[in-house]
Amino acid sequence: MLFHAGVLSFSGGFLGVDIFFVISGYLITNLIYNEIQEGKFSIVGFYERRIRRILPALFLVSAFCIPFAWKWMTPSQFKEFAISLVATNVFSSNFFFWQQSGYFAGAAELKPLLHTWSLAVEEQFYLFFPLLLIFLNKLPRKIIIWIIIAISIASLLMADIASRYYPSADFYLLPTRAWELGFGAILALSFGGKHIIGGKLAEIISGTGLAMILISILIFDESFRHPSLWTVIPVLGTTLILLAANQETIVGKLLSLRPMVAIGLVSYSAYLWHQPLYAFARLSQPYPPSLPTMLVLAVLSLLLAALSWRFVEQPFRTKKAGRAIGRKAIFVLACAGSGAFIGLGLLGRYTHSQDHAFAASLAPDQLQAYTLIQRTEQENSGTKKLGGGPCIFSAVELDANVRKKIEACAERFGPGLLILGDSHAIDLYRSVVNTRPRPGFIVGLVSGGCRPYEELAVCEYYRQLLDYLEQSPGSFDLVIFEQAGFYLLKGKGYDEGDRQMFSLPVAKQLPDYRPDEARISAIANYLSKLSRHGRVVWLGPRLEPHIPQAALLRRGCNYPFKPRLGTERIFHRLDAAIERRLDNSSVRYLSQNDLLAFDFPGDFTTCKELYWSDGDHFSNAGERRFGARMRLVERLGLAGK
């Protein structure tokens, strides 16, 4: 909760899910296996307990979300929410959010049901795990344990590999999460839910487990591959606590304190409530809520959780309620409730009632801004890939097919132009292609989130390019590199660059962010290696207005939007730092800000066009406008490319 609230010191707060999976695997396996051994286990009874435990509070929070989503979400956001409502109530939201933006992305903070992906993973696990235990029941317990160990190791290795190549799937999907539940299951089967370790050894083991969790929460951040072999640290720490934290240990006593027990009792409801409260607080205003506001919402989450536990969870879980609401009624209510939310979700997605209501609530100037935003979103979503000729293309890796294509194009046109970098380089590539004077040979080796100083497996093209140019040095006449500027800044509260640095209201002055000399040097060193094989230009970071669409929608397109005070100073200082680092280098520096000479508010929107698709990326109209203004192809003597 503190991580989602934005408390920077809890950068590894997302590990709470991993801890939860271990505990769940331990408790549920212990329950299932003991009942199987006693001949009392029933699949129907097991799922009845799951329904009583999960659905009442989930239905309440789902219902709570609908009116606030209707009021504060734009139609495109509402339609996405509507599908997430369907996915949540059929326990497949992990698949849905896997296909959306990453868990750590800014847009993820605006998704009220994002957190239900972990609930989906858990329920998917319990679709097959009880059947597996029933199937293996005739085998000795040791053999069952070894089988689950083998499955868990396979899942862990899969997670570590996927964290390099498929990080989003790795985060959201069951095959790469099963090992965490498996750790808890192995512990339950090995010790039967009993604390057989005592004395000083229990103290040492439980204390070590707590230290492993705390260190992980304080040190881990979104830059860590996760889940991966790194995640073994908090998962093993949780396992050690479950193994040894009896009532005689310090850790056991700490966990037995009344506040800790109370939080444990309401933890499921608190888990359900916190993300919608945070998301709607962000949606209700054009700028992110302050940290004190988010902390108040965290406390409110606990208060609502206590009420939910007392008046919603307990009546369905106590024996008295069990007699009043029988098994058949529980299943009927579960089907009816899920069916209702699925129906509402489908209506929200495939009808336009919210669109009309939202538009009707806007003043004329706001309606004009809204129409502009919608048109920009539609244009951008329709032109993700640009061509223009057989030798004008983009790629995210230099595999054998891409290399053959480059060589064929070089033979046909001569050495080409390579545009290299992250999502800002995607803007540049499309700007150049849109404004080129004639067909030619232009390649974009570009991908969002990929920068030379980050060793991500999905960004292998930086290393591949060096290898390729060693073998085929004449393929490109010029390499132009660009990356997002905010990643090259640092300052109070930000050891590394982050979009949140620019989340202050537009009227506020930015802190005195400074260039990140280490990252600048890392890029300069990489580009220097490239320059051994031909001309290299670093196109400097563009000034980023970071004006949220919510602010445009609230104030209307005629408002004189300008970047926050201090923005120009920060980016000019960044320009100077990069240029200074490249002094006496074979890499040429070209200031994009000098070329563009931004003039706001006209370079933000004219009410006929919106030139930014978000806080730092060009829209299609912006690519055309700013690409024509830069005239890079002509300026760098590449008119024939």
Side-chain angles (χ1 to χ4, degrees), residues 109-165:
E109 297 179 337
L110 306 180
K111 301 177 190 294
L113 297 176
L114 175 68
H115 60 319
T116 63
W117 72 267
S118 57
L119 186 61
V121 168
E122 185 192 27
E123 295 314 305
Q124 290 160 19
F125 181 81
Y126 291 127
L127 280 177
F128 78 86
F129 190 66
L131 301 176
L132 177 65
L133 289 181
I134 291 171
F135 178 75
L136 298 176
N137 184 46
K138 300 298 182 181
L139 298 175
R141 183 187 289 230
K142 287 184 179 180
I143 300 298
I144 297 174
I145 292 171
W146 279 110
I147 289 173
I148 297 177
I149 288 174
I151 293 171
S152 299
I153 290 174
S155 172
L156 173 57
L157 293 176
M158 187 186 304
D160 194 64
I161 294 169
S163 69
R164 300 172 186 270
Y165 300 101

Side-chain angles (χ1 to χ4, degrees), residues 325-338:
I325 307 175
R327 175 175 292 175
K328 182 178 179 179
I330 283 292
F331 280 103
V332 169
L333 289 172
C335 292
S338 296

Side-chain angles (χ1 to χ4, degrees), residues 318-461:
T318 59
K319 292 182 179 180
K320 181 178 179 181
R323 289 196 298 269
I325 307 175
R327 175 175 292 175
K328 182 178 179 179
I330 283 292
F331 280 103
V332 169
L333 289 172
C335 292
S338 296
F341 286 112
I342 292 169
L344 289 170
L346 293 175
L347 282 172
R349 172 62 182 83
Y350 295 107
T351 63
H352 300 286
S353 53
Q354 197 266 352
D355 306 40
H356 301 320
F358 183 84
S361 69
L362 301 175
D365 195 35
Q366 292 175 312
L367 182 59
Q368 190 176 8
Y370 168 64
T371 303
L372 189 59
I373 291 169
Q374 292 293 97
R375 194 183 79 219
T376 301
E377 288 179 351
Q378 291 169 3
E379 289 175 353
N380 282 5
S381 64
T383 56
K384 290 298 182 186
K385 294 183 179 179
L386 264 180
C391 292
I392 297 178
F393 62 92
S394 64
V396 295
E397 64 175 332
L398 272 172
D399 59 22
N401 290 332
V402 173
R403 293 180 186 216
K404 287 180 182 178
K405 193 171 182 180
I406 290 172
E407 289 162 7
C409 291
E411 186 174 342
R412 177 179 175 185
F413 290 98
L417 167 63
L418 175 65
I419 295 172
L420 177 70
D422 61 5
S423 59
H424 282 215
I426 295 176
D427 288 353
L428 174 62
Y429 166 75
R430 290 162 58 168
S431 296
V432 170
V433 171
N434 266 324
T435 58
R436 74 194 186 285
R438 67 187 72 180
F441 177 21
I442 303 173
V443 178
L445 202 53
V446 290
S447 182
C450 286
R451 289 162 284 276
Y453 50 79
E454 292 178 329
E455 296 182 1
L456 299 175
V458 292
C459 306
E460 280 288 286
Y461 58 79

Side-chain angles (χ1 to χ4, degrees), residues 270-285:
Y271 152 83
L272 288 177
W273 278 111
H274 81 281
Q275 176 66 14
L277 290 178
Y278 293 170
F280 289 124
R282 293 178 173 115
L283 285 163
S284 66
Q285 51 191 337

